[in-house]
Amino acid sequence: LDNTVSLVVSADKNLVVEGPPDGVAQILMNLVINARDAMPGGGTIFVEARHALPIELPRAMSTEDRRKSYACLSVMDTGMGI
């Protein structure tokens, strides 16, 4: 039984995320651990950090806030899911 878990990380260049470093690290760690636990037989975890596209922003966001730039952080895995 191969229970190897691979980690693939992709990030946009010049991406800056503002926030408490410990908080961002804790969120990322929790997501990666959950992904790992969802693959008892092994698999791959993909972590991506990129600039968010305007279409991905909430519609209720003000015009002024839409002018700012935002990041999109995603964690995916090859586990079976719920």
Side-chain angles (χ1 to χ4, degrees):
L1 181 65
D2 179 19
N3 60 355
T4 301
V5 175
S6 300
L7 178 65
V8 177
V9 178
S10 170
D12 282 354
K13 291 184 180 195
N14 302 319
L15 181 65
V16 176
V17 177
E18 292 182 19
D22 291 342
V24 174
Q26 187 66 49
I27 291 167
L28 185 56
M29 184 62 72
N30 288 344
L31 291 170
V32 170
I33 288 171
N34 287 344
R36 180 207 60 197
D37 292 349
M39 302 182 300
T44 303
I45 300 171
F46 302 91
V47 177
E48 179 185 41
R50 62 176 175 77
H51 292 90
L53 301 173
I55 195 164
E56 296 173 313
L57 301 177
R59 288 189 177 136
M61 192 177 258
S62 72
T63 302
E64 182 179 324
D65 284 341
R66 287 182 161 279
R67 291 190 189 114
K68 299 176 186 176
S69 49
Y70 295 88
C72 177
L73 175 65
S74 61
V75 177
M76 299 167 281
D77 64 67
T78 58
M80 293 182 59
I82 296 174

